[in-house]
Amino acid sequence: MLCRVAMPDLPPGRRPLSPGSRAGLGAALVLLAVVSAVELADRRTTDFVGLFAAVPFLAVVFAYWQTVLVAGVLATIVGMVFVGMAGPLTVPGAVNIFGIVLATGIAAAVGTLRQRQANRIGELQRLAAVAQQAVLRPLGPQVGALAVAGRYISATAAADIGGDLYEALDTPYGVRIIIGDVRGKGLDAVRLASIVLGSYRHVAYERADLKAMVTDLDRAVARSVGDEDFVTAALVEERGGTLTIVNCGHPAPLLLRRGKVIPLEPPAPAPPLGFMPEVKARVERLEPGDRLLLFTDGLGEARREGEFFPTADRAWRLLGHGTVGDGLASLETALVDWVHGRLEDDIALVLLEYAGPDDGATLPMPSWEVGAAGS
């Protein structure tokens, strides 16, 4: 939760110093004090005044040009004081003062360039955050009859999004969820993930059958990738308490029911999207309180010292408490602790909970139950 912190009103143009500026100014003042102490200890000459030129260069390592300029002006003034105390102005003294002024100008120019680069990087980060929200929109907390939470765990500190994807939609055909993993990394993976999600958000409302959705998504991937690129994916549909899963080369979801963890393996294996998968649906009847964990293969590959994270063994203990958001938070904490903070691959997680039948629901009976109803 974001908190609003009361800040004192500042005059226009006056802002608190950033941590970097404070560090730069502090380091410059320490160096200024050290050189001044050495110069005071040797009052006969001004041999050490030239060292004041290092003060603005030290400040620019941490701070921007405004702070660098302040440090350089202080160094210049102190240098002039020491030169004046030594007697009439000499050529070496004038050269030292000129050197401090020149160093201040160069350091301030460097600080200006750094500040411009930092502003550009900040703008790119803001644009990346907007792109991330467009590709991976927040899930839940409630989609149809399901409580839903999603989590993206990036293996790269500099990026919050990669080739893993997920989405949950409340459609005329029930709640539909996709989770997928694009082969490869970087911007190409993000681009393909956005293509898959864009196609999914369209066909999820248009196709009454998950197999038809797989065909559409496979075409979208095939049009956008090379011969060796693909996307593993699992599509889940909850309709009237019936869970249907089609799996295209993706890790099987885990069903958490009354303390047990049940992998929902597909009836037959199918290749990933991009390789024309022929899928067979797995159908389960849900019970109130059932939870379903969808994840990408980064979870299965997380290991330390060659030992993989025991997802199935620990899933109920980590995911079976509190809200679905609490469960994912516990899983992420345990996972990061297991690998000592060093993940090999990004991980996408989606946790669903079925609350029970909705008495007001008017969804049509799934086609795979029509025959069973008449028997």
Side-chain angles (χ1 to χ4, degrees):
M1 180 180 292
L2 296 176
C3 298
R4 198 176 170 87
V5 180
M7 294 291 292
D9 294 333
L10 296 174
R14 294 188 58 187
R15 298 178 181 176
L17 289 178
S18 66
S21 294
R22 289 197 296 268
L25 186 58
L29 291 177
V30 169
L31 179 59
L32 188 64
V34 170
V35 176
S36 298
V38 172
E39 189 63 44
L40 286 173
D42 184 16
R43 297 185 178 182
R44 293 172 298 175
T45 62
T46 57
D47 296 336
F48 303 102
V49 169
L51 294 177
F52 286 127
V55 170
F57 285 121
L58 180 60
V60 80
V61 174
F62 305 96
Y64 295 137
W65 69 269
Q66 297 95 330
T67 305
V68 172
L69 198 59
V70 171
V73 169
L74 287 175
T76 303
I77 293 174
V78 174
M80 293 176 63
V81 170
F82 280 113
V83 169
M85 291 171 56
L89 181 63
T90 62
V91 173
V95 170
N96 283 335
I97 297 301
F98 177 77
I100 299 172
V101 174
L102 181 62
T104 300
I106 295 174
V110 172
T112 301
L113 294 176
R114 287 183 63 246
Q115 188 165 1
R116 289 177 181 174
Q117 292 175 346
N119 292 338
R120 292 194 191 101
I121 292 173
E123 183 63 24
L124 290 175
Q125 289 176 336
R126 287 189 289 272
L127 291 174
V130 173
Q132 178 186 357
Q133 293 175 359
V135 176
L136 287 183
R137 299 184 300 201
L139 298 184
Q142 192 76 24
V143 182
L146 300 177
V148 182
R151 213 169 187 91
Y152 194 99
I153 308 173
S154 177
T156 305
D160 293 328
I161 188 172
D164 293 11
L165 58 99
Y166 54 72
E167 180 63 288
L169 301 171
D170 190 4
T171 75
Y173 309 105
V175 177
R176 287 177 164 176
I177 302 101
I178 186 174
I179 189 164
D181 189 357
V182 176
R183 177 185 179 273
K185 298 180 182 296
L187 293 178
D188 288 338
V190 176
R191 179 185 62 84
L192 183 53
S194 67
I195 291 173
V196 173
L197 284 174
S199 299
Y200 172 78
R201 288 163 182 160
H202 172 71
V203 300
Y205 291 95
E206 301 296 328
R207 300 297 187 186
D209 183 70
L210 291 183
K211 295 180 181 179
M213 289 178 57
V214 168
T215 301
D216 290 339
L217 293 176
D218 177 70
R219 291 171 181 167
V221 171
R223 288 193 298 264
S224 307
V225 300
D227 295 337
E228 298 181 356
D229 295 322
F230 56 84
V231 180
T232 68
L235 279 71
V236 177
E237 178 184 279
E238 184 278 321
R239 189 190 321 196
T242 297
L243 185 73
T244 308
I245 304 171
V246 294
N247 197 316
C248 305
H250 199 77
L254 299 179
L255 176 64
L256 286 70
R257 173 179 291 168
R258 298 193 300 270
K260 296 181 180 179
V261 179
I262 307 168
L264 300 183
E265 299 288 349
L273 298 174
F275 292 151
M276 295 184 292
E278 292 289 338
V279 296
K280 292 186 178 180
R282 173 160 183 166
V283 182
E284 298 283 339
R285 289 297 298 181
L286 291 174
E287 300 177 3
D290 281 354
R291 290 190 173 188
L292 186 71
L293 175 66
L294 311 175
F295 57 94
T296 54
D297 60 3
L299 179 61
E301 295 172 357
R303 60 186 179 271
R304 66 179 181 192
E305 300 174 357
E307 186 178 1
F308 291 96
F309 181 74
T311 304
D313 294 338
R314 302 179 66 178
W316 178 261
R317 184 151 45 97
L318 293 170
L319 300 171
H321 68 90
T323 66
V324 287
D326 295 334
L328 287 188
S330 296
L331 176 59
E332 180 179 1
T333 300
L335 178 66
V336 173
D337 180 68
W338 179 271
V339 299
H340 304 299
R342 294 188 295 271
L343 290 169
E344 299 294 330
D345 194 9
D346 293 355
I347 302 172
L349 303 169
V350 177
L351 185 61
L352 318 170
E353 181 177 3
Y354 178 63
D358 184 358
D359 295 336
T362 58
L363 291 174
M365 180 179 292
S367 59
W368 50 85
E369 290 194 337
V370 172
S375 60

